[in-house]
Amino acid sequence: MKAKEIQELIDFISNSGLAEVKIETDEFKLSIKKNSEVAVARPADVPNPQAVAVPQPAASHSPENNVNHAPAAASFLEVKSPMIGTFYRSPNPDSDYFVNVGDVIQKGQTVCIIEAMKLFNEVESEVSGKIVKILVDDASPVEYDQPLFLVEPQN
């Protein structure tokens, strides 16, 4: 299924009375939910994404909280991209960042947005801990399963 066909399907569903559609073939799985602003298409052999969208309040922007280049360590956990798209640290240019280096996050907390096919998907952390490094610059393209954040687990 091509991106244009997926977009046409999304448009059709948004104009219909359907709330959710799931399509599964040998080549891909497609799940579209109306009113949750999430549409994910991925190959059938790829496991479910690590994160799901849920709105959360934002943190504050400040110059010293830009991407930190802390050393990577084996003890750190990764928050990975659940899809291909464009990575954003805040819900809009005038808003505060979701998280900054040094912030303590909880499992399920929104840490960024990935824009895919004009849909903005909030990404939740699957881990709890302290953000030690942001691996992607704001407004940069990301791939499926690409590490976005390094998190030091909290006991």
Side-chain angles (χ1 to χ4, degrees):
M1 188 171 234
K2 295 181 181 176
K4 183 178 179 186
E5 293 171 318
I6 294 171
Q7 185 61 48
E8 288 173 356
L9 181 59
I10 291 170
D11 292 341
F12 173 77
I13 292 168
S14 67
N15 294 326
S16 74
L18 299 173
E20 181 176 356
V21 173
K22 291 183 181 180
I23 300 172
E24 186 173 333
T25 69
D26 293 335
E27 297 173 4
F28 68 90
K29 291 181 183 179
L30 176 68
S31 177
I32 302 171
K33 295 180 183 180
K34 189 173 181 179
N35 295 330
S36 69
E37 298 185 356
V38 176
V40 178
R42 62 183 187 276
D45 61 337
V46 175
N48 284 334
Q50 257 191 340
V52 179
V54 174
Q56 295 287 329
S60 65
H61 278 295
S62 65
E64 66 273 7
N65 286 327
N66 287 336
V67 176
N68 184 8
H69 298 286
S75 64
F76 294 151
L77 302 173
E78 296 177 333
V79 175
K80 296 182 178 182
S81 175
M83 64 189 68
I84 295 171
T86 303
F87 171 87
Y88 293 104
R89 292 186 62 196
S90 60
N92 64 59
D94 298 326
S95 295
D96 298 330
Y97 291 141
F98 288 106
V99 295
N100 295 296
V101 172
D103 288 355
V104 175
I105 60 170
Q106 300 298 318
K107 183 176 181 178
Q109 180 178 341
T110 301
V111 292
C112 67
I113 289 178
I114 306 252
E115 177 189 5
M117 295 175 33
K118 297 183 182 180
L119 292 175
F120 293 85
N121 305 283
E122 292 183 349
V123 177
E124 290 182 349
S125 175
E126 285 294 317
V127 298
S128 295
K130 181 174 146 183
I131 301 280
V132 294
K133 187 173 182 181
I134 299 171
L135 303 169
V136 181
D137 291 326
D138 196 37
S140 297
V142 293
E143 297 293 324
Y144 171 78
D145 213 31
Q146 176 179 343
L148 304 173
F149 301 92
L150 286 181
V151 178
E152 180 179 11
Q154 300 286 312
N155 292 340

